[in-house]
Amino acid sequence: MRDLFTNIKIQVNEKIYLKDPETSILGKKIIEESILLMDAIGFDHFTFKKLGEKISSNESSIYRYFENKHKLMLYLSSWYWSWMEYKLFFATNNIEDPFEKLKKAITIVTEKIEDDEATKHINESILNKIIISEFTKTLQTKEVDEENKEGFFLIYKSVINRIVNLIIEVDPDYPFAKSLASNIIEGALHQHFLRDHLTTITNCNENISPTDFYINLITTVLKNK
Amino acid sequence: MRDLFTNIKIQVNEKIYLKDPETSILGKKIIEESILLMDAIGFDHFTFKKLGEKISSNESSIYRYFENKHKLMLYLSSWYWSWMEYKLFFATNNIEDPFEKLKKAITIVTEKIEDDEATKHINESILNKIIISEFTKTLQTKEVDEENKEGFFLIYKSVINRIVNLIIEVDPDYPFAKSLASNIIEGALHQHFLRDHLTTITNCNENISPTDFYINLITTVLKNK
DNA sequence: TTTTATTGATAGTATTACTATTATCTTTGC
DNA sequence: GCAAAGATAATAGTAATACTATCAATAAAA
């Protein structure tokens, strides 16, 4: 899998950036360090000025890559879900049994992420932390409908639809495949957040993972396993 | 129920505000109109200056009630969950059968809200729309741990714990009661959002409601019904 | 009627979120 | 090896945001 990633370029909607950060050293540095800074101070306190200082570069240089921090966050999340889609594909590709396949997929999208050494400038483990705390904010804006039309969320929806198809394969009669899939993906992020911050309203802790909860859920909800 | 609400004052943690908005005409106006303005332009574009213009009052007067718009949003969401807790209590109080009781509670917390005529200055239907699009943002900040310690999310957690207890009553052996409850409350808000904006990744529409999805879910997940 | 509390008006500061311009530095093409 | 092109840095500047401070006007309470 490592070799595959080295050759495959994660695709992000071109309208999200002004200049592709993958095409220059500065661009890659912007991505690499924005992940670290976003994790350290959060989206709300993140500014291009602070990022510029951190990478010893100029605020105005960053603006040549991204219109604003919301677009940068859209880039990071698109990258994440695109990477997730590859992971999903390769991890489930060789599994025959539909239910085992679905379980593997659910595991992939709900588990805690370790850094993928194949991508030098992106720390997936930290990116995952950012997605847990910040992703929903990229959706929940007044501009969501326009941005959805522009295709900014295509990869995210594609990941969900992959899960939907696996659910349908297991139980074609289950009437809420889409809601179940979108619930699991969003819900897993939320359960991770609760485990870290609001521990009294989740069963997840060091021993029980969101993955355990959601595997148990689909096992009882779906038939024909 | 209407009469009860007229007499019961919704309790909000005193540390959220500088001056209790319920104690003055201006305060009530701030709450009433902030709900409308927040719905119209969203949390991100909402400012105290704009609110001041809308209520023909001064920006600095609003700052005497709330430190910033985040605190105002905390107030609105605390109010909402407090109101929800009353609704839950009165709606389930007289139901004997544990599963019927749980179903009623799930219905209350997942359904679309109509305006409650008992509260003159608060439009619950619009407040519900705001909670759907903005509530998660009030949790997902870098200050969540401090604010949680201050007790800003007590009422929210209390609503979830009420559902947890009902789940345990129906099926004491189910091992994920807390995660299921927090998932349903957060997930229902998310499904409402998807129904309105990302329709391809939810089964919810004019005919199928988030309530249908979650009632179906608990019906299959829990035993001893 | 005096005191107190509340609100309004005005002004001012620091930060944010950018845009514009010009200089410098680095490639690459020949 | 040099010129042209492209990318980056430095500086400056604007408008909006997110406040704080002060003081006057007004309404309510003692």
Side-chain angles (χ1 to χ4, degrees):
Chain A
M1 193 152 123
R2 187 159 301 174
D3 288 339
L4 278 162
F5 273 123
T6 320
N7 297 323
I8 286 162
K9 196 168 165 255
I10 301 282
Q11 286 297 333
V12 172
N13 188 319
E14 289 182 5
K15 289 174 200 154
I16 289 177
Y17 49 74
L18 298 169
K19 179 178 153 73
D20 187 351
E22 287 290 329
T23 60
S24 74
I25 297 163
L26 179 65
K28 281 180 195 151
K29 212 170 175 186
I30 288 170
I31 299 307
E32 178 176 12
E33 297 287 333
S34 68
I35 291 171
L36 304 179
L37 185 60
M38 194 82 79
D39 176 53
I41 65 177
F43 182 77
D44 292 348
H45 300 299
F46 181 99
T47 68
F48 280 179
K49 195 175 184 189
K50 287 177 188 166
L51 179 60
E53 280 160 22
K54 195 177 158 77
I55 62 177
S56 323
S57 181
N58 203 275
E59 196 189 356
S60 58
S61 304
I62 301 165
Y63 274 107
R64 274 192 214 97
Y65 287 84
F66 296 100
E67 275 179 69
N68 49 50
K69 66 173 175 176
H70 171 68
K71 285 280 174 71
L72 170 56
M73 189 62 220
L74 279 174
Y75 181 91
L76 295 180
S77 50
S78 287
W79 198 99
Y80 178 83
W81 293 115
S82 182
W83 175 77
M84 185 61 75
E85 202 176 28
Y86 277 113
K87 269 192 84 163
L88 263 184
F89 178 77
F90 291 119
T92 59
N93 203 21
N94 57 344
I95 303 175
E96 282 291 309
D97 179 66
F99 188 59
E100 288 303 318
K101 201 165 181 159
L102 175 61
K103 280 204 287 185
K104 183 71 189 177
I106 300 287
T107 303
I108 297 281
V109 296
T110 62
E111 75 188 347
K112 197 164 189 170
I113 303 295
E114 303 294 324
D115 185 28
D116 180 344
E117 306 277 333
T119 55
K120 292 131 289 170
H121 64 298
I122 294 186
N123 186 320
E124 283 80 8
S125 173
I126 298 178
L127 181 53
N128 173 243
K129 283 174 67 188
I130 297 172
I131 296 297
I132 288 168
S133 333
E134 316 289 354
F135 174 65
T136 312
K137 294 178 201 167
T138 68
L139 287 179
Q140 296 184 349
T141 70
K142 276 285 160 186
E143 295 78 31
V144 58
D145 294 333
E146 299 151 46
E147 294 186 350
N148 186 35
K149 260 185 205 155
E150 294 277 340
F152 291 179
F153 309 118
L154 274 175
I155 308 174
Y156 174 64
K157 293 191 285 187
S158 162
V159 169
I160 289 171
N161 281 321
R162 194 172 283 274
I163 305 284
V164 170
N165 290 331
L166 296 177
I167 292 171
I168 292 170
E169 251 190 88
V170 173
D171 185 354
D173 297 328
Y174 180 70
F176 305 104
K178 289 176 178 183
S179 287
L180 183 60
S182 56
N183 181 104
I184 289 171
I185 296 213
E186 162 71 14
L189 297 179
H190 192 61
Q191 292 296 318
H192 278 288
F193 183 84
L194 296 182
R195 172 164 71 176
D196 293 340
H197 301 291
L198 298 173
T199 53
T200 59
I201 52 171
T202 179
N203 296 100
C204 300
N205 51 42
E206 317 84 55
N207 305 313
I208 303 169
S209 69
T211 305
D212 297 331
F213 169 50
Y214 287 108
I215 292 284
N216 173 280
L217 193 75
I218 54 159
T219 305
T220 48
V221 164
L222 302 180
K223 284 162 199 157
N224 313 319
K225 290 160 294 194
Chain B
M1 191 153 125
R2 187 160 301 176
D3 288 340
L4 279 162
F5 274 123
T6 319
N7 296 323
I8 286 162
K9 194 167 167 254
I10 301 284
Q11 285 298 331
V12 172
N13 187 319
E14 288 182 6
K15 290 174 200 155
I16 287 177
Y17 49 76
L18 298 169
K19 180 177 152 72
D20 186 351
E22 287 290 329
T23 60
S24 74
I25 297 162
L26 179 63
K28 282 181 196 152
K29 211 169 176 186
I30 287 170
I31 300 307
E32 176 174 14
E33 296 287 332
S34 67
I35 291 171
L36 304 180
L37 185 59
M38 193 83 78
D39 177 53
I41 65 178
F43 182 76
D44 294 349
H45 300 298
F46 180 99
T47 68
F48 280 180
K49 195 175 184 187
K50 286 176 188 167
L51 179 60
E53 279 159 24
K54 197 177 156 75
I55 64 177
S56 324
S57 181
N58 204 274
E59 196 189 357
S60 59
S61 303
I62 302 165
Y63 275 106
R64 278 191 205 98
Y65 287 85
F66 296 100
E67 275 178 70
N68 50 50
K69 66 173 174 174
H70 171 68
K71 285 281 174 71
L72 170 56
M73 190 60 220
L74 279 174
Y75 181 91
L76 295 181
S77 50
S78 286
W79 198 99
Y80 179 83
W81 293 115
S82 183
W83 175 78
M84 184 61 74
E85 203 177 26
Y86 277 112
K87 270 194 84 165
L88 263 184
F89 178 78
F90 290 118
T92 61
N93 203 21
N94 58 343
I95 303 175
E96 282 291 309
D97 179 66
F99 188 59
E100 288 303 318
K101 200 164 182 161
L102 175 61
K103 280 204 288 187
K104 184 68 191 179
I106 299 287
T107 302
I108 298 281
V109 296
T110 62
E111 76 188 345
K112 197 163 188 171
I113 303 295
E114 302 294 323
D115 184 28
D116 180 344
E117 305 277 334
T119 56
K120 292 131 285 168
H121 64 300
I122 294 187
N123 185 319
E124 284 79 8
S125 173
I126 298 179
L127 182 54
N128 174 243
K129 285 176 66 189
I130 296 172
I131 296 296
I132 288 168
S133 335
E134 317 288 353
F135 174 65
T136 312
K137 294 178 200 168
T138 67
L139 287 179
Q140 296 184 348
T141 70
K142 277 284 160 185
E143 295 78 30
V144 60
D145 294 332
E146 299 151 44
E147 293 186 350
N148 186 36
K149 261 184 205 154
E150 294 278 338
F152 291 180
F153 308 118
L154 275 174
I155 307 173
Y156 174 63
K157 294 192 284 187
S158 162
V159 169
I160 290 172
N161 281 321
R162 194 172 283 273
I163 305 285
V164 170
N165 291 330
L166 297 178
I167 291 172
I168 291 170
E169 250 191 272
V170 173
D171 184 355
D173 297 328
Y174 180 70
F176 305 104
K178 289 176 178 184
S179 288
L180 183 60
S182 57
N183 180 104
I184 289 172
I185 295 216
E186 162 71 15
L189 297 179
H190 191 61
Q191 292 295 319
H192 277 287
F193 184 83
L194 297 182
R195 171 164 71 176
D196 292 340
H197 301 291
L198 299 173
T199 53
T200 59
I201 52 170
T202 180
N203 295 99
C204 299
N205 51 42
E206 316 85 56
N207 305 313
I208 303 169
S209 69
T211 305
D212 297 331
F213 169 51
Y214 287 108
I215 293 283
N216 173 281
L217 193 74
I218 54 160
T219 306
T220 49
V221 164
L222 302 180
K223 282 162 201 156
N224 311 318
K225 288 159 294 194

